[in-house]
Amino acid sequence: MGNGQGVGGIYIAGHRGMVGSAIRRALESAGEANVLSATSKDLDLRNATAVDEFLAANRPTQVYLAAAKVGGIQANNAYPAEFIHDNLAIQDNVIHAAWRHGVQRLLFLGSSCIYPRDTKQPMREEVLLTGPLEPTNEPYAIAKVAGIKLCESYNRQYGTDFRSVMPTNLYGPGDNFDLETSHVLPALIRKTHEARVTGAESIPVWGSGRPMREFLHVDDMAAACVHVMNLDRATWQAHTDPRCSHLNVGTGEDLSIGDLARLVADVVGFEGQLAFDPDRPDGTPRKLLDVSRLKGLGWQASIGLREGIEQTYQWYLENPA
Ligand code: GDP
């Protein structure tokens, strides 16, 4: 547990996940030597006592809360109990222990699915809790909304400095390429690659192909997290509201699932057809983030979608499951 470098340092909860490992790379390449982590075997974040003991022993100054049970549309539909329970437990334990052990700053990572299903696009932070959620991932979204409110409540009652960022759909190295539980982009990379290799005439694409999605490379997400963590408190407070303190993180641009599938086919070199499967759910029709708050705080995405897909495809080829 920990890295044996003593009290202080930066703890990344979820350092083995796609986002946590990207945050670790970003911190290490910025010269940060004292990064703490613990594998889920050594520290079960759903266990409140274990989390409390870990933070008591290591006393980090900063915490990136990137640990979560995550998955695509089908995994959310199949395991709703785990998606709400594990996420509520993880964030409740880490946030409460961070307050108890004097963590100076914590960054909680959520998701753009916190916003109402049928809301004005692009979605501003203020539309939170103004309407019903998309049913396919409501349990996960409710947990993430609770995480934002946990941070705000501790800030209001105890004067802590706990911040929240809500990324759009993420992708990149370290993604989950399991076709049953993954998100759409890694699934399309895998299906398209396998179709090219086997000479298949078409690839299955779930749903109608019409839903619109926004995609952010995980290295951009990690850069945004480090940027937001390091903003001084006065700047952070000037750009957020104590009762609406979360920040959207995205590119501000989206495309249809059909166009995404065509872009992946182009990158992979697959010339066959797309076979849309209307028996699979479309999920929410659109969830484009308004990223003007974060732009006002001096950060914007820099990795283009084609470039990001090319790099992720390369990683997939070099890292067979
Ligand atoms: P969502 O953004 O929470 O809906 O999660 P996903 O990334 O799982 O799905 C995004 C959209 O892509 C949905 O409309 C899916 O039906 C569609 N989609 C198309 N093909 C696939 C696939 O092979 N896997 C997944 N997960 N989604 C797919």
Side-chain angles (χ1 to χ4, degrees), residues 87-151:
N87 287 310
L88 283 172
I90 291 168
Q91 65 204 32
D92 193 32
N93 294 341
V94 175
I95 291 169
H96 185 70
W99 161 66
R100 268 174 49 81
H101 300 296
V103 168
Q104 287 166 18
R105 202 170 283 163
L106 174 144
L107 189 71
F108 170 66
L109 277 69
S111 158
S112 62
C113 68
I114 56 166
Y115 294 119
R117 181 180 199 274
D118 299 308
T119 194
K120 192 165 163 274
Q121 307 281 329
M123 304 181 292
R124 294 171 56 86
E125 285 84 353
E126 291 81 359
V127 301
L128 185 67
L129 294 172
T130 57
L133 297 165
E134 155 64 32
T136 51
N137 51 24
E138 187 190 63
Y140 175 79
I142 294 275
K144 292 297 183 183
V145 174
I148 297 173
K149 295 300 162 190
L150 268 168
C151 291

Side-chain angles (χ1 to χ4, degrees), residues 154-269:
Y154 280 75
N155 290 346
R156 279 173 39 218
Q157 189 173 341
Y158 298 124
T160 49
D161 188 359
F162 295 168
R163 307 174 178 186
S164 302
V165 282
M166 299 299 125
T168 188
N169 292 34
L170 300 172
Y171 72 98
D175 210 338
N176 169 17
F177 287 83
D178 178 312
L179 294 181
E180 291 306 308
T181 57
S182 72
H183 283 102
V184 61
L185 217 164
L188 287 176
I189 289 177
R190 178 171 175 177
K191 288 184 202 178
T192 310
H193 170 73
E194 288 175 355
R196 184 173 64 79
V197 170
T198 59
E201 284 178 5
S202 68
I203 57 154
V205 180
W206 296 358
S208 66
R210 283 191 299 271
M212 302 289 289
R213 291 290 185 274
E214 175 187 9
F215 297 92
L216 181 73
H217 192 282
V218 71
D219 287 341
D220 265 338
M221 177 59 189
C225 288
V226 174
H227 181 85
V228 171
M229 179 69 105
N230 291 331
L231 290 169
D232 65 65
R233 198 168 185 179
T235 307
W236 165 260
Q237 285 174 338
H239 284 78
T240 54
D241 183 286
R243 287 173 192 269
C244 182
S245 67
H246 56 288
L247 285 178
N248 291 341
V249 188
T251 62
E253 288 171 20
D254 61 359
L255 78 173
S256 72
I257 295 299
D259 284 345
L260 177 74
R262 284 180 272 275
L263 178 56
V264 171
D266 201 40
V267 168
V268 171

Side-chain angles (χ1 to χ4, degrees), residues 280-296:
R280 299 280 192 162
D282 268 347
T284 196
R286 196 176 185 200
K287 45 175 173 175
L288 178 63
L289 291 176
D290 181 317
V291 290
S292 43
R293 234 187 199 186
L294 188 56
K295 266 193 185 160

